[in-house]
Amino acid sequence: QAGIEVTSLPGPAACITALTMSGLPTRRFAFEAFLPSDKKERRAVLEELKNETRTMIVYEAPHHLLSTLEELREALGNRKMTLCRELTKKHETAFLTTIDDLLAYYKDSKPLGECVLVIQGRSRKEMEKEAGALLPRLPFYKISKFSDALSLLVVSFSAVTRSFTGFCPRLISITSPTL
């Protein structure tokens, strides 16, 4: 940003070199290596990464880069990220950009070199804001039977936790009628 070229001395792993060059937070990170090739397992991993707050590091081969970026965009949204290529080699590059910008660039350009994707983690503030926005949408019903109350509680709790793992914005209290 200041016009000064920054590089990193190579260590034993490309992930650490990429992380230190990325411009993204380095205090906590999740190293995923190559995403699974099995489609079902890959979807499960991407689903788990949706609410990951740490900086994420993923390896990718150039011939899979575009499809991986598309899957990341679908799963994570348009996150800030750095694409590092050809680390420790003559044509080493690091692009601090967004997933959308990389998708647009690689629609017309052929990816070259082994890639390390360093992806911004999800903001806790964003997650809390979304959890708070869900509250007005939770239904409130007059409950006539205790079994109905239990069913509503389970459905409401499932909706909240499925969307916001780790965040339960408030307890839903239901008073049982006299049995």
Side-chain angles (χ1 to χ4, degrees):
Q1 293 172 348
I4 301 169
E5 186 175 332
V6 176
T7 191
S8 177
L9 295 175
C15 64
I16 301 301
T17 302
L19 179 64
T20 60
M21 292 175 61
S22 71
L24 296 173
T26 58
R27 189 176 71 80
R28 298 177 66 231
F29 64 92
F31 176 56
E32 291 295 324
F34 286 94
L35 293 173
S37 57
D38 177 75
K39 289 182 182 185
K40 186 175 179 180
E41 186 180 356
R42 188 180 186 96
R43 275 193 304 273
V45 168
L46 289 170
E47 184 65 30
E48 290 172 9
L49 293 178
K50 249 183 208 181
N51 291 322
E52 177 61 66
T53 59
R54 297 173 294 177
T55 300
M56 297 165 275
I57 305 169
V58 176
Y59 289 162
E60 193 52 86
H63 58 282
H64 292 299
L65 181 63
L66 189 57
S67 62
T68 297
L69 288 171
E70 289 168 348
E71 290 172 318
L72 288 169
R73 175 60 170 101
E74 183 179 326
L76 308 178
N78 186 30
R79 302 263 181 104
K80 186 189 287 188
M81 69 170 290
T82 300
L83 172 68
C84 298
R85 296 184 311 119
E86 296 295 298
L87 293 176
T88 75
K89 298 177 185 164
K90 181 179 179 180
H91 299 289
E92 173 183 286
T93 55
F95 303 108
L96 177 58
T97 184
T98 64
I99 295 174
D100 282 350
D101 288 344
L102 281 172
L103 280 168
Y105 179 80
Y106 283 115
K107 292 277 186 200
D108 299 323
S109 301
K110 182 181 176 184
L112 299 172
E114 293 299 315
C115 302
V116 182
L117 311 175
V118 185
I119 308 157
Q120 180 181 42
R122 188 150 186 224
S123 160
R124 289 187 187 278
K125 287 182 182 179
E126 176 186 324
M127 292 171 71
E128 290 167 0
K129 183 179 174 184
E130 285 183 17
L134 179 66
L135 290 179
R137 296 184 291 175
L138 286 177
F140 290 92
Y141 300 103
K142 182 176 179 176
I143 306 298
S144 59
K145 295 187 302 189
F146 186 65
S147 62
D148 292 341
L150 289 176
S151 297
L152 177 61
L153 180 62
V154 169
V155 169
S156 297
F157 184 72
S158 296
V160 170
T161 56
R162 186 172 41 253
S163 298
F164 305 102
T165 305
F167 286 86
C168 186
R170 70 176 172 193
L171 292 175
I172 303 167
S173 64
I174 301 171
T175 307
S176 166
T178 307
L179 297 175

